[in-house]
Amino acid sequence: MAVGEWIIVNIIQNIELCKFSWKCMIEEVDFELIENEEVKNEYERCKKGIGEEDKYKDAKRLGIHDVVKAHFLIADYFYSAGEGMGGIGPRDTDLLNSALYRQHVSLAGILKYNDSLTICSTLFYGLVKDHVFYDGNKRTAFTCLVYHLMLHGLYPTLSQKELEDFTVDVADGEFKKKKRYIDYSKNSDDPDIKYIAHFLKKNTRKKDTKSYSVTYRQLNKILMKFGYELENAGGNYIDIRRKEIRRKAFKAFGIEIKQGKEESVNIKVCQIGFPGWTKKVNDSAINTVRKATKLDHKHGIDSAAFFKNQDPIRCMILDYAEPLHRLAYR
């Protein structure tokens, strides 16, 4: 993954921002993004077919690997939840390329879409309308839209349900009944994108507060790097434990002497609520863990160091889990 500063916001049900914030430098992911084996194998096959080159990606535009990764992360989320999908991967790579190329359309050498809102709008429109994937097209388009907006420093101000409904309206063409769209259609050769961009302009705003989301499984992988681990789940709680190597010791003439085999001892550090490995860890629990393990700002471990290499699209899927579930049936 190319080096870049991704500003990710943790948006809860009513799109309010949580109180913890930071920026993360994404260099490379040092643990598996895709956890379901079936999805992982198909993702690897798809990546090989696409190749490493990404001619669509630049500072303002999503690339083919961004969109494909978003799709497979959604598939992984639903497969891991035991729900599955009606097929995964692109059904037509030409359609995928066509949707992505929309961001680069030019007239007489001048890019047709060169501001944040129209760039985000045209890719969103292409992904929704072209039915690029076997299943999950609206979910992939929805995810890419919010992620794309976030990369431009724009965050939704409408509810998740309203954004979900808008995605369905674009897919079904219902937005063309709106008065503003009708007005655009009289004076523009591109009323669809103009209307979507107008809608996004009305319903987004810039935010300075950032946050990052992880599942309990991802948190465990992070903690293991620092010598801690989530263990002993039960009764909706789980322990955070530190592993230490110890040997039995005795004192002789006031001197402590260690002997015998070294033993691994698990020391309980704290306990947090535990709804399941694939669930998102709330900010209060993360704060408790970081404070108890001394992996916080006070002890020289800032958020970028703690959450290094987390993937922003996966976080976005966690934040928007509810509308993504509903979009599966709309």
Side-chain angles (χ1 to χ4, degrees), residues 118 175-176 178-202:
T118 57
F175 71 103
K176 295 185 179 182
K178 303 289 185 180
K179 182 181 183 303
R180 183 169 292 274
Y181 177 86
I182 295 171
D183 291 341
Y184 281 144
S185 65
K186 295 175 183 177
N187 305 305
S188 171
D189 62 348
D190 200 3
D192 296 42
I193 305 308
K194 273 206 164 187
Y195 180 84
I196 294 171
H198 169 76
F199 180 89
L200 295 177
K201 184 177 181 179
K202 281 201 314 177

Side-chain angles (χ1 to χ4, degrees), residues 138-154:
K138 288 191 291 290
R139 284 171 281 178
T140 302
F142 178 100
T143 301
C144 287
L145 173 62
V146 180
Y147 177 54
H148 206 175
L149 287 168
M150 289 176 180
L151 295 185
H152 283 269
L154 298 169

